[in-house]
Amino acid sequence: MQQTYRLVIRCPDRVGIVAKVSEFVSEHQGWLTEASYHSEASASADDPGWFFMRNEIRADSLSVSIGEFKQRFAALADEFKMSWFINDSSERKKVVILASHASHCLADILYRWHSGELYCDISAVIANHDNLRGMVEWHGIPFHHVPVDKADKTPHFTQVDALLQQYDADTIVLARYMQILPAAVCERYSGRVINIHHSFLPSFIGANPYYQAYDRGVKLIGATCHYVTQDLDQGPIIEQDVERISHRHNKDDLVRLGKDVEKIVLARGLRYHLEDRVVIHGNKTVIFD
């Protein structure tokens, strides 16, 4: 994989942003390998709206170091009131996965990581059940079993929080982890916790949602990958997909198809995040896929 620097920008929209950024990159001999833009108009005539940009620059083309590039770009960013960052594609994000007893999402992520499809370091897996230990440790990844006492979940979350800080997690993936993270954890890792859930919420809540859906004769099932916020299942959406259901499918078919779509949606969402293709704007996202 060619090493690039990913320059991601969000700012109020105005004339000249693309020209100024492109000129700056060119002045430093930067070779753009990918350039994506999106302008989002405002409903108010007094508000110019917002502009989003993602550029990939060949690392070996720049005439200055990445540190020098950041220092010089800061003046331009201030001029346009930009929220921005630039990341090195060769630096792997440190991922910690939280799981429960369901294995399908975790197994899929581990396979994609092991095969090199997901470019990251999986630092650890933390689960409130112990049945996935063998699969995780086979991959050479530390596994931590942290049980949950339903009467008092505070010790569980205290230990989970300590482990997340111990592993200095850049990204946290909830791979069918069926616990609600405390507000403090959501705040500390804002924009870095990714969750997956089936598309039946809020229609079919509780146990066996696929069986409930079968009894109602649903025609579509799907999954949503989103960032975690303090508002349960209300965070910015990263990716979604659906599968069509017919009268020929039984309850077990719905479970199987549901797991398939959950896996692919979580993998896509995580990949977009790892490659800095997601820009959060309020409770929405711009995805440069």
Side-chain angles (χ1 to χ4, degrees):
M1 183 176 66
Q2 184 181 62
Q3 182 186 7
T4 61
Y5 296 131
R6 299 165 180 159
L7 176 62
V8 181
I9 296 166
R10 177 176 68 93
C11 64
D13 202 0
R14 57 180 276 193
V15 173
I17 302 172
V18 173
K20 284 288 189 178
V21 173
S22 299
E23 181 182 16
F24 180 90
V25 173
S26 177
E27 287 175 350
H28 295 84
Q29 307 303 310
W31 183 332
L32 290 176
T33 63
E34 186 175 332
S36 302
Y37 318 114
H38 173 65
S39 179
E40 193 164 290
S42 170
S44 169
D46 298 327
D47 187 344
W50 287 85
F51 182 77
F52 308 88
M53 173 187 288
R54 180 185 183 276
N55 289 337
E56 289 209 36
I57 308 164
R58 273 181 50 171
D60 61 3
S61 69
L62 285 178
S63 59
V64 296
S65 68
I66 185 64
E68 183 73 15
F69 184 96
K70 289 179 180 179
Q71 290 179 359
R72 296 185 182 184
F73 189 79
L76 179 62
D78 289 343
E79 178 186 348
F80 285 86
K81 297 181 175 58
M82 295 176 178
S83 297
W84 66 285
F85 64 84
I86 185 166
N87 284 342
D88 187 338
S89 69
S90 68
E91 295 181 356
R92 297 174 183 262
K93 289 183 173 65
K94 290 173 284 189
V95 176
V96 173
I97 303 174
L98 272 58
S100 184
H101 60 81
S103 64
H104 58 289
C105 286
L106 175 61
D108 186 68
I109 290 173
L110 293 179
Y111 167 77
R112 293 175 190 272
W113 167 78
H114 185 76
S115 65
E117 183 179 333
L118 292 174
Y119 189 77
C120 63
D121 287 331
I122 299 181
S123 303
V125 173
I126 306 168
N128 59 324
H129 293 269
D130 202 40
N131 61 304
L132 303 177
R133 178 185 296 275
M135 178 176 64
V136 173
E137 292 182 343
W138 182 88
H139 286 85
I141 297 171
F143 180 88
H144 297 271
H145 176 214
V146 184
V148 174
D149 182 351
K150 293 182 179 180
D152 182 9
K153 297 186 178 183
T154 300
H156 169 82
F157 290 124
T158 298
Q159 189 173 347
V160 167
D161 192 15
L163 287 167
L164 293 175
Q165 295 185 59
Q166 173 187 322
Y167 285 106
D168 192 21
D170 295 316
T171 302
I172 302 164
V173 179
L174 310 188
R176 298 299 291 158
Y177 173 74
M178 306 304 290
Q179 305 298 318
I180 300 173
L181 290 178
V185 175
C186 294
E187 182 66 25
R188 182 180 302 115
Y189 297 99
S190 177
R192 294 187 287 157
V193 184
I194 297 173
N195 192 21
I196 183 73
H197 63 70
H198 57 73
S199 64
F200 297 135
L201 293 173
S203 298
F204 305 115
I205 300 173
N208 299 320
Y210 290 104
Y211 284 15
Q212 295 179 53
Y214 174 83
D215 291 336
R216 286 286 300 278
V218 299
K219 304 307 179 200
L220 288 172
I221 61 170
T224 295
C225 176
H226 64 93
Y227 288 110
V228 172
T229 64
Q230 296 182 39
D231 299 319
L232 182 62
D233 294 330
Q234 299 296 313
I237 294 171
I238 307 170
E239 176 66 335
Q240 293 176 299
D241 207 344
V242 295
E243 288 281 352
R244 182 158 290 280
I245 302 301
S246 78
H247 60 275
R248 296 182 179 87
H249 292 105
N250 60 33
K251 293 181 180 181
D252 291 337
D253 290 331
L254 264 65
V255 173
R256 173 178 55 82
L257 292 170
K259 288 180 177 180
D260 285 346
V261 73
E262 286 176 6
K263 290 186 294 185
I264 192 65
V265 167
L266 181 58
R268 285 179 193 155
L270 177 56
R271 186 182 182 91
Y272 293 156
H273 175 85
L274 294 174
E275 295 181 356
D276 301 311
R277 296 186 178 278
V278 186
V279 183
I280 300 175
H281 182 61
N283 203 43
K284 296 172 60 178
T285 59
V286 173
I287 309 292
F288 291 118
D289 57 2

